[in-house]
Amino acid sequence: MSLIDLGAHLAADNCLWCIGGMSPAGIHPDLGPVLQLCPTQRWCDECGGLSLFPAESETLDDRINDMLGDGLSAVWCSSCIGVVAIIPVTNDGGIR
């Protein structure tokens, strides 16, 4: 499942946590403002709904390039395409 698949059939209109199937999850030190999949439902069996999604209006590519500039890389959930972890990288691309 990807976020493109989220629609009215997956996000309950009467759910107080949902903003289009997503819920605010605070401000991550590397990702900035983030959303998570609505905590009232089980969305992803791979990450258990723990993935985060940057909420800023910039593109995800811009955020990833900014993080790489800071020596950081994101680990993605292959099911929901959310960020599962942030790891440091060295200048030559290897993990520290």
Side-chain angles (χ1 to χ4, degrees), residues 82-94:
V83 177
V84 179
I86 305 292
I87 58 172
V89 294
T90 63
N91 290 338
D92 60 2

Side-chain angles (χ1 to χ4, degrees), residues 7-16 18 41:
H9 65 288
L10 294 175
D13 291 333
N14 60 351
C15 178
L16 298 175
C18 281
Q41 299 184 44

Side-chain angles (χ1 to χ4, degrees), residues 16-26 34-40 53:
L16 298 175
W17 291 97
C18 281
I19 302 170
M22 305 292 277
S23 176
V34 290
L35 300 169
Q36 66 181 9
L37 295 171
C38 180
T40 65
F53 301 86

Side-chain angles (χ1 to χ4, degrees), residues 15-90:
C15 178
L16 298 175
W17 291 97
C18 281
I19 302 170
M22 305 292 277
S23 176
I27 300 176
H28 189 276
D30 300 313
L31 297 173
V34 290
L35 300 169
Q36 66 181 9
L37 295 171
C38 180
T40 65
Q41 299 184 44
R42 179 78 172 188
W43 295 98
C44 180
D45 291 330
E46 185 173 323
C47 71
L50 297 178
S51 290
L52 298 176
F53 301 86
E56 295 178 338
S57 58
E58 67 187 31
T59 67
L60 190 54
D61 287 343
D62 290 340
R63 185 72 220 127
I64 291 168
N65 288 331
D66 288 344
M67 287 173 46
L68 284 173
D70 293 335
L72 300 170
S73 181
V75 177
W76 307 96
C77 173
S78 63
S79 180
C80 68
I81 316 300
V83 177
V84 179
I86 305 292
I87 58 172
V89 294
T90 63

